[in-house]
Amino acid sequence: MILFQILTALGTASSLFLVAAGLTVIFGVTRVVNFAHGSLYMLGAYVGWVVLSHLPQTIFGFTLGCLVTAAIIGVLGVLIEICILRRLYRVPELYQLLATFGVVLIAGNVVQLLWGTRVVTLPRAAWMQATISVSGHPFPVYSVVMMVVGPLVLLALWLLFSRTRWGALVRAATEDREMVGALGIRQNILFTTVFGLGAALAGLSGALSLPQVAATSQMALSAVSDAFVIVVIGGLGSVTGAFLASVLIAVLQTFGAIIIPQYVMVAVFSVMAVVLVLRPNGLLGRAGKGGRAMGDLPKLVEGATKLVIGLGVIAFIAAALVPAFDTGYVLSIMQDALIAMLFAASLHFVMGPGGMPSFGHAAWFGIGAYGAALSASSWNLPMSESIVFGVVTASILAALVGSFMIRLSGIYLAMLTFAFAQVIWALATQMTGFTGGDNGILNLWPDGVFASPTAFYALVLALCAGGVLVLRRVLFSPFGFALRATRDASARAAASGIPVGPVRHVAFTISGGFAALSGGLFAFAKGSVFPTYINVSHSIDALIIVLLGGIQTMAAPVVGALVYTGLRDYLQAATTIWPMLLGIAIIVIVSLFPQGIGGAAEHWWARLGSRAKSKGG
Amino acid sequence: MLEISKLVVAYGQATILQGVEFQVRQGEVLALLGRNGAGKSTTLKTIMGLLRPVSGHISFAGQNIDGIDPFRIARLGIGYVPEERRIFNELTVMENLEIGRQQARNGHAWSEEELFEIFPNLGGMRARRGGAMSGGEQQMLTIARTLMGNPSLVLLDEPSEGLSPLIVEQMAEAIQILKRRGITVLLAEQNLHFTEYLADDAVIMEKGRIVWSGAMKSLMADATLQARYLAV
């Protein structure tokens, strides 16, 4: 029985490895974290389903079908690289990630349009169910095939990388791609082929897994989440590391599903945490060349000009006057925008000046929301106390999780926060007795003095505007300066007496607390909480708001929140293909304004100024 | 062969090169001298296309090359030996050379064996990883790797920096060989004595500008000039 489970685990490991190997190779060479990698896996499953349904149900037909699917997805990867990513290599890496998330939205929408929300399955052919005997136990041929595929692909990749000129070029580019260019190598072709290879592997995995995993439009994000975990554990850029990590995760998932079914993701995440504490660069990863800055040169965050302060005061007065005109729809839209603003400001705090990118900020929002909702519904706490309870819970958790998260930086941290949010999301969906699962927790309404919509709106306005101002004030305090010093030059900051770890830790905790406050307010604004609050897309919402606003621009969360929530709410109401439109919009905006809208505005403003100066002089 | 005019380069707000102008004639070794921070490395990187100039022009063999991709510049026949060497640590000596390989130019293509004659040390460590080599060996490998691209102009960024006198001597010999083979060399250096017998002409940079240019001999004869711009 245990042997059988181990074999199953190794089969799962193969399919995880194929996805993760592509992701890690693409990252190694292009430095792009391909969020859309899970989507390529998903497309592999759907395309594979179409292809395999038209082929004979033999082992030959299956092999051919999988290879054809891999080729199709590989070509798709090449097209994505040429049409989208190629324009973005000079852009800061977070923006590249955002662009690949645009691809996620588009791919998900395309699948939904073509196949709807139905679950697509491929029945196991007779040859797959046939068994062979291993030490007296019967094993399905399919499991054996799956088990062998991973090591075979590992071997093939190893030969490709160590025995061919192309492989040497890829390894050289992984180390120093600029130098490879200076030696006369056309990087574009190298990048395109690497991306195509990675995509093909993901597609192959999707097709191969069909007989055991049904294709759904949900599989993209869980696949990329798994792949992130594996790549981080294995070490970014290391194919062998990815293989070892795949086996580790597959074993955990397989046995976890038997022993602690509801906590599999928690177990996986805990293992990842342990590995990263012991080996911050993953099992086989190498230390990067110093901390890679998220932007080119982070510029100083300057104090607000009188103009900006004036606009802020006017905006606040306008927002305060809203209840005088409308207490229905407009008020609730304003409430959403204010809460989004505080949520985004808490992300901006940790990511911009703090230099700690988070791709799972919705985790803190969700913990705040669920903390408030659970304490209100189970213990009958009044609203104000339950919101405080949510904030305190989130802050304590942020302090705990932060203790190892702050050791990481850049893309590692982004992936880890993303995986953490997936864990919280999984808990919210799976612990149905506690959280109500997908049905959520209902009937939460403001009470006491805040019972009327106007009073609650006033509370939201006060706390959100106040929260943003407090975060702002902290950034201009000595603590804020120390925080920015740890971002820009952590070694120098440490040498000048700044306790780097504690400063980052406190910033991480503060950010979690404020995100939880926005979550708690949101719970009572909507009267309910759902796992969707913790969805990746919600984390991405905040990220888009901050990045669109411009990560080093103080007004970013405020401007971004208003523009983005408005745009999204409008699109959602207007059309069913809104994810695709949103995805395209993200890609276009990232290509046109790599500094964010706020950054671009500043840039133009500065250029205008210097032009005027040069004309005058 | 290489003409640079009114070259302005900036990192963000800071302007590093403020109108650099000089020429490199075919077949000569030109020393680009100056103290730390004068802008020598920036000049070489800009020629190679690794930095984009704000304004000004660079032309090579009659073709404008400012603002085009580094790989195209390399394929036109400019080889770049960076100050930090930038050997591929995970790759072997042979693989490092392989990355540098480009098509023959003027009917000649450097072979590994030919390069091992110039740098005998390298011949004995073909399978060694770049990261496991000493600084001097790495410096030789960078030059050899660049030559695999059959360049007609080589940009050398402080090749003598941090190396032992014995290795520096070997480096000087190698540069002599390049010169004899008709390869033009632009040699950025702080070490005046290293360039003394190698360079035909010299230009001196200070604070992002060319402040002097002339024959190497006249520079060596002028102690005041040396003291003013080059003494530490």
Side-chain angles (χ1 to χ4, degrees):
Chain A
M1 183 61 195
I2 284 194
L3 193 65
F4 182 79
Q5 295 302 341
I6 290 177
L7 273 181
T8 313
L10 289 177
T12 310
S14 290
S15 108
L16 291 172
F17 167 64
L18 293 190
V19 181
L23 187 69
T24 209
V25 171
I26 289 173
F27 175 80
V29 176
T30 65
R31 298 285 139 180
V32 171
V33 173
N34 182 22
F35 221 110
H37 215 67
S39 305
L40 293 169
Y41 167 78
M42 173 187 74
L43 291 172
Y46 278 98
V47 171
W49 179 74
V50 173
V51 172
L52 289 169
S53 316
H54 289 87
L55 286 169
Q57 306 256 311
T58 60
I59 194 161
F60 174 75
F62 186 71
T63 313
L64 181 71
C66 288
L67 291 178
V68 168
T69 306
I72 293 173
I73 304 299
V75 170
L76 185 67
V78 166
L79 290 177
I80 291 174
E81 199 276 343
I82 291 176
C83 300
I84 300 171
L85 293 174
R86 180 163 294 181
R87 284 152 225 293
L88 299 174
Y89 289 124
R90 285 172 191 276
V91 167
E93 51 193 6
L94 278 176
Y95 288 88
Q96 296 171 344
L97 239 169
L98 201 56
T100 60
F101 186 74
V103 178
V104 172
L105 289 175
I106 296 170
N109 205 184
V110 166
V111 162
Q112 217 152 42
L113 290 175
L114 291 180
W115 287 281
T117 45
R118 75 197 159 106
V119 176
V120 172
T121 53
L122 187 78
R124 287 196 184 198
W127 68 268
M128 293 178 185
Q129 291 175 352
T131 56
I132 52 172
S133 166
V134 178
S135 65
H137 301 273
F139 287 108
V141 174
Y142 173 75
S143 306
V144 178
V145 169
M146 282 305 284
M147 195 186 76
V148 176
V149 165
L152 271 183
V153 169
L154 178 64
L155 180 71
L157 287 176
W158 181 77
L159 286 173
L160 186 64
F161 288 131
S162 66
R163 293 284 184 270
T164 65
R165 175 175 155 90
W166 184 82
L169 285 173
V170 168
R171 281 184 294 139
T174 302
E175 247 186 87
D176 188 345
R177 57 179 166 161
E178 190 186 60
M179 195 61 221
V180 169
L183 288 167
I185 309 298
R186 191 196 289 254
Q187 293 182 26
N188 283 349
I189 291 179
L190 202 57
F191 287 11
T192 308
T193 46
V194 163
F195 207 88
L197 174 73
L201 287 174
L204 179 65
S205 180
L208 275 173
S209 310
L210 263 179
Q212 76 184 20
V213 184
T216 69
S217 56
Q218 307 296 312
M219 71 200 298
L221 286 172
S222 63
V224 79
S225 168
D226 284 347
F228 277 179
V229 169
I230 288 165
V231 165
V232 167
I233 292 181
L236 278 176
S238 165
V239 175
T240 317
F243 182 77
L244 293 177
S246 301
V247 173
L248 181 68
I249 295 303
V251 168
L252 268 170
Q253 285 183 348
T254 309
F255 287 92
I258 301 166
I259 306 164
I260 40 165
Q262 285 181 349
Y263 301 97
V264 174
M265 286 201 66
V266 180
V268 167
F269 187 79
S270 314
V271 168
M272 175 163 83
V274 171
V275 170
L276 288 174
V277 167
L278 299 176
R279 294 186 63 90
N281 294 304
L283 292 173
L284 298 180
R286 291 194 175 79
K289 290 170 189 158
R292 279 170 52 87
M294 300 314 291
D296 281 340
L297 277 175
K299 72 193 252 307
L300 288 178
V301 174
E302 286 155 12
T305 58
K306 278 187 181 140
L307 177 72
V308 174
I309 295 175
L311 286 175
V313 171
I314 291 170
F316 182 82
I317 293 172
L321 289 177
V322 166
F325 301 100
D326 185 297
T327 49
Y329 182 65
V330 178
L331 197 69
S332 93
I333 289 275
M334 272 306 292
Q335 230 158 247
D336 288 2
L338 284 167
I339 292 169
M341 178 180 84
L342 178 61
F343 179 43
S346 72
L347 176 63
H348 173 266
F349 178 83
V350 77
M351 194 167 87
M356 292 177 270
S358 169
F359 270 66
H361 211 57
W364 308 115
F365 184 94
I367 292 168
Y370 270 95
L374 286 169
S375 56
S377 64
S378 319
W379 303 333
N380 290 318
L381 284 187
M383 179 186 80
S384 51
E385 284 170 37
S386 62
I387 290 179
V388 170
F389 177 79
V391 171
V392 171
T393 312
S395 304
I396 293 172
L397 264 172
L400 285 174
V401 176
S403 60
F404 68 88
M405 283 217 185
I406 53 136
R407 289 155 172 255
L408 306 172
S409 58
I411 289 300
Y412 271 89
L413 184 59
M415 289 179 168
L416 195 61
T417 48
F418 171 71
F420 176 72
Q422 288 296 97
V423 171
I424 299 297
W425 175 78
L427 286 177
T429 18
Q430 287 167 11
M431 297 173 64
T432 42
F434 191 48
T435 62
D438 283 330
N439 297 326
I441 300 167
L442 309 176
N443 294 323
L444 305 162
W445 298 110
D447 51 24
V449 285
F450 302 113
S452 79
T454 314
F456 184 71
Y457 176 78
L459 178 74
V460 170
L461 179 62
L463 286 179
C464 291
V468 171
L469 288 176
V470 168
L471 286 172
R472 210 191 117 75
R473 184 70 204 87
V474 172
L475 288 181
F476 286 102
S477 71
F479 175 82
F481 294 130
L483 181 64
R484 277 187 261 159
T486 66
R487 172 197 69 187
D488 294 340
S490 68
R492 261 178 277 169
S496 53
I498 295 170
V500 172
V503 165
R504 283 164 64 91
H505 200 170
V506 169
F508 190 90
T509 310
I510 291 176
S511 165
F514 276 92
L517 174 61
S518 64
L521 287 172
F522 196 69
F524 284 95
K526 295 290 158 192
S528 50
V529 291
F530 298 104
T532 49
Y533 292 9
I534 316 170
N535 257 355
V536 199
S537 55
H538 194 219
S539 294
I540 301 287
D541 282 350
L543 204 60
I544 293 173
I545 289 172
V546 173
L547 292 179
L548 285 189
I551 189 166
Q552 303 305 347
T553 315
M554 281 306 282
V558 182
V559 178
L562 294 174
V563 173
Y564 179 73
T565 44
L567 180 71
R568 194 202 42 196
D569 289 354
Y570 173 75
L571 280 179
Q572 266 172 347
T575 164
T576 50
I577 57 162
W578 68 270
M580 191 181 308
L581 295 179
L582 193 59
I584 293 171
I586 291 173
I587 293 168
V588 169
I589 289 172
V590 169
S591 316
L592 293 181
F593 309 109
Q595 320 270 295
I597 296 174
E602 269 182 17
H603 186 72
W604 287 332
W605 188 250
R607 264 214 343 223
L608 226 74
S610 69
R611 218 176 265 171
K613 242 186 255 166
S614 67
K615 269 184 194 161
Chain B
M1 177 171 225
L2 182 76
E3 277 177 54
I4 295 171
S5 57
K6 294 180 185 159
L7 194 64
V8 177
V9 178
Y11 287 111
Q13 301 276 312
T15 308
I16 308 297
L17 301 187
Q18 342 211 10
V20 167
E21 287 202 44
F22 67 91
Q23 298 185 3
V24 189
R25 283 178 289 117
Q26 173 120 34
E28 78 164 338
V29 175
L30 177 72
L32 177 61
L33 297 162
R35 294 192 182 100
N36 242 347
K40 305 186 295 293
S41 292
T42 303
T43 306
L44 296 196
K45 281 184 186 163
T46 311
I47 296 171
M48 201 59 223
L50 300 176
L51 294 174
R52 273 168 202 268
V54 175
S55 61
H57 292 287
I58 306 169
S59 85
F60 173 66
Q63 193 178 345
N64 219 16
I65 58 164
D66 48 80
I68 71 173
D69 281 336
F71 86 92
R72 288 187 199 282
I73 294 174
R75 287 180 180 188
L76 286 172
I78 301 185
Y80 172 55
V81 179
E83 188 179 1
E84 324 82 46
R85 302 181 192 120
R86 294 171 79 165
I87 281 299
F88 302 114
N89 290 313
E90 302 302 316
L91 273 60
T92 64
V93 168
M94 291 301 272
E95 284 174 336
N96 265 285
L97 294 178
E98 181 60 40
I99 303 294
R101 186 192 301 279
Q102 291 288 327
Q103 286 178 342
R105 196 178 312 279
N106 307 323
H108 175 257
W110 288 88
S111 70
E112 284 91 344
E113 296 311 316
E114 221 177 332
L115 290 166
F116 292 151
E117 275 170 34
I118 303 179
F119 304 106
N121 300 23
L122 295 181
M125 47 177 76
R126 296 170 196 219
R128 183 165 303 180
R129 279 194 323 111
M133 298 166 79
S134 74
E137 291 158 357
Q138 287 190 345
Q139 186 67 59
M140 290 174 196
L141 180 56
T142 358
I143 296 177
R145 184 180 65 179
T146 302
L147 290 177
M148 285 296 286
N150 308 305
S152 48
L153 167 68
V154 172
L155 313 174
L156 282 171
D157 200 353
E158 305 216 16
S160 77
E161 194 196 20
L163 300 180
S164 72
L166 197 71
I167 307 276
V168 169
E169 211 163 287
Q170 285 187 23
M171 215 50 73
E173 271 170 40
I175 294 169
Q176 295 280 16
I177 293 172
L178 298 192
K179 195 180 171 186
R180 261 183 268 134
R181 293 287 193 106
I183 297 175
T184 312
V185 177
L186 176 57
L187 173 62
E189 263 298 342
Q190 284 192 65
N191 181 348
L192 180 64
H193 298 289
F194 180 70
T195 58
E196 182 177 354
Y197 300 105
L198 290 172
D200 306 290
D201 291 326
V203 290
I204 300 179
M205 282 189 94
E206 193 179 63
K207 291 181 184 159
R209 287 195 175 84
I210 300 292
V211 289
W212 184 88
S213 66
M216 193 71 209
K217 278 182 193 138
S218 4
L219 171 60
M220 291 318 293
D222 192 339
T224 344
L225 188 65
Q226 290 174 26
R228 185 161 162 207
Y229 293 120
L230 300 173
V232 182

